[in-house]
Amino acid sequence: MFLGNRKNLDEKMATLEKENKHLEIEIDKYKKRVAELNQEVNSLKKEQDSYRSNLIECSYCFETIKKDSQFCSNCGRRIVKKAEMITKTERQGRNLFEVEEDKEGLLITAYHGFDETIVVIPSEINGKKVIGIYNKVFMNCRNLEQVVIQEGCQYIGYRTFFRCESLHSVLFPKSMVEVGNEAFWGCVSLEEIIIPSGVKVLGNNIFAHCTKLKSIVLPTELECIPQGAFESSGIEEICVPHKVKVIMRDAFKKSAVRDIFLPEGLQVIEEYAFFDCNELKEITIFSNVRVLGQNCFSYDFTQKDLTVYCTAGSVVQQMLRDYEGIICKEIKPVEKSKNSILGYKRASIHLGNNHYGSQFVDYWVNVTGISKATTWAWDFLSMNWFLYIDKYILPDEKLKIEQSFAKAGLKVSFEKFN
């Protein structure tokens, strides 16, 4: 009996040893396979790194292209290498700028340069993030030719590059959100510009009197072409983004525009929008337009060759019957716009005379908690103690403004489009 059990145990032990050896062989195989896979992964990583190192981003449209490309395959523009421009300007140092602490980072408030032709707005100064360039910082810098704004900057203020007559190249970062009133007014050497898709608000008269400006790519998120945006500019052709709902007064007044493509969702065209655009020969205005302002086109014969394509029975057709020499041709109605909510023309706050220092931006920045970088559109009128916010105000920003001034017990009035 004992011998039989011993025999069975020996057999089991022998079987287990065989299985153990088999498993050790399999484990060795798996280890070898894992080592092979690791080598393949490392090889792929090296290949990927090598691939990435041979790619750059177009400074205009942000398309990824080969490093040695001279022109962008997407927008066709000559590649401007930011890194090279930044190296050239390293000698300038960081003491060119005065800055102050803002809610989300540093705001550049002054520029101390003299004859620099190239200026780089850094993403950081002394280890702190730069979020904006405030009002009039580069105003009348007539030698300035090129500006590179590094990633992180979100705001450009009122008249920041006003009358920089030699400025011909501006490279924006993807982070840009707002560009202020008259920011590039009278930049007579500027020929083309691409504004990143994330920009939601452009200021009034932003490119007015830019007489050499021929083409522009507007941001896809834009809802409003602001007042006087291209007045007396050299702009010849423009594609208005599909989200634009409003073209404000004087937007293209006395410009050289000849080809313009308006979106189907456009709802409001204000007065004098295309007044004295003598090169404009035809334009299509779709059926969603419910407001066409007075004197949108010239009443006299200066635009006598203009053909307007519109819908039968539309407000556009009725309004244009008052014009001499303008020809109307019929198009079919388009689908009614699904998103008909508009922003606001401007806002006003009656401050009263009970706020010491109430005519100073810094006072209200402290009282409301609003970021100073966003105050580029503020205008104080001391005669009647009013603060005006003179820009297109998006619905979500309206709520923030109301809540901020409510802290001081003040009510904000918002002007709607007719």
Side-chain angles (χ1 to χ4, degrees), residues 266-369:
L266 183 65
Q267 297 178 48
V268 175
I269 302 176
E270 289 197 316
E271 57 270 24
Y272 297 99
F274 298 100
F275 191 82
D276 272 359
C277 292
N278 298 328
E279 299 301 317
L280 188 62
K281 300 306 177 186
E282 62 178 35
I283 187 171
T284 300
I285 304 177
F286 294 100
S287 54
N288 278 312
V289 172
R290 55 180 178 78
V291 176
L292 186 70
Q294 293 289 335
N295 302 312
C296 181
F297 302 99
S298 301
Y299 269 106
D300 57 20
F301 286 97
T302 57
Q303 287 180 279
K304 63 181 180 179
D305 295 329
L306 177 63
T307 300
V308 178
Y309 295 87
C310 59
T311 307
S314 64
V315 295
V316 177
Q317 184 195 30
Q318 300 305 313
M319 180 71 74
L320 290 180
R321 284 179 176 170
D322 292 336
Y323 289 79
E324 295 185 55
I326 291 180
I327 302 167
C328 286
K329 292 190 177 181
E330 185 179 3
I331 57 170
K332 293 180 180 179
V334 295
E335 184 180 350
K336 191 173 181 180
S337 180
K338 294 178 181 178
N339 183 8
S340 59
I341 299 173
L342 299 179
Y344 299 85
K345 276 189 182 184
R346 61 184 65 86
S348 60
I349 306 104
H350 185 231
L351 304 174
N353 56 8
N354 60 336
H355 287 278
Y356 174 75
S358 60
Q359 293 180 57
F360 297 96
V361 170
D362 289 340
Y363 174 84
W364 288 106
V365 165
N366 291 328
V367 169
T368 61

Side-chain angles (χ1 to χ4, degrees), residues 98-113:
E98 268 185 36
V99 298
E100 63 179 66
E101 294 274 359
D102 201 7
K103 190 176 179 181
E104 299 171 352
L106 295 181
L107 183 61
I108 293 175
T109 56
Y111 168 67
H112 298 308

Side-chain angles (χ1 to χ4, degrees), residues 66-187:
K66 289 183 178 180
K67 193 173 184 178
D68 57 355
S69 299
Q70 293 186 358
F71 297 90
C72 176
S73 57
N74 183 47
C75 68
R77 286 165 173 77
R78 183 178 292 278
I79 300 304
V80 179
K81 296 182 173 56
K82 288 186 181 181
E84 292 177 8
M85 295 178 72
I86 291 166
T87 302
K88 289 178 184 177
T89 57
E90 279 179 351
R91 68 183 188 280
Q92 296 175 347
R94 304 301 168 120
N95 58 353
L96 276 179
F97 307 112
E98 268 185 36
V99 298
E100 63 179 66
E101 294 274 359
D102 201 7
K103 190 176 179 181
E104 299 171 352
L106 295 181
L107 183 61
I108 293 175
T109 56
Y111 168 67
H112 298 308
F114 286 94
D115 299 321
E116 286 80 10
T117 58
I118 301 173
V119 168
V120 175
I121 305 301
S123 57
E124 290 184 351
I125 294 178
N126 297 327
K128 293 183 178 180
K129 183 172 70 171
V130 173
I131 63 161
I133 316 166
Y134 201 51
N135 303 344
K136 302 182 181 180
V137 170
F138 294 96
M139 182 174 173
N140 290 324
C141 288
R142 288 184 167 84
N143 292 319
L144 185 59
E145 296 179 4
Q146 295 175 288
V147 174
V148 178
I149 306 172
Q150 291 189 328
E151 196 64 35
C153 187
Q154 301 175 56
Y155 303 98
I156 292 177
Y158 166 67
R159 290 192 169 183
T160 301
F161 297 99
F162 184 89
R163 275 186 174 164
C164 291
E165 295 176 349
S166 300
L167 183 63
H168 61 80
S169 174
V170 181
L171 302 181
F172 294 98
K174 291 181 187 177
S175 54
M176 191 62 63
V177 176
E178 295 184 359
V179 185
N181 295 337
E182 301 181 15
F184 295 95
W185 195 101
C187 291

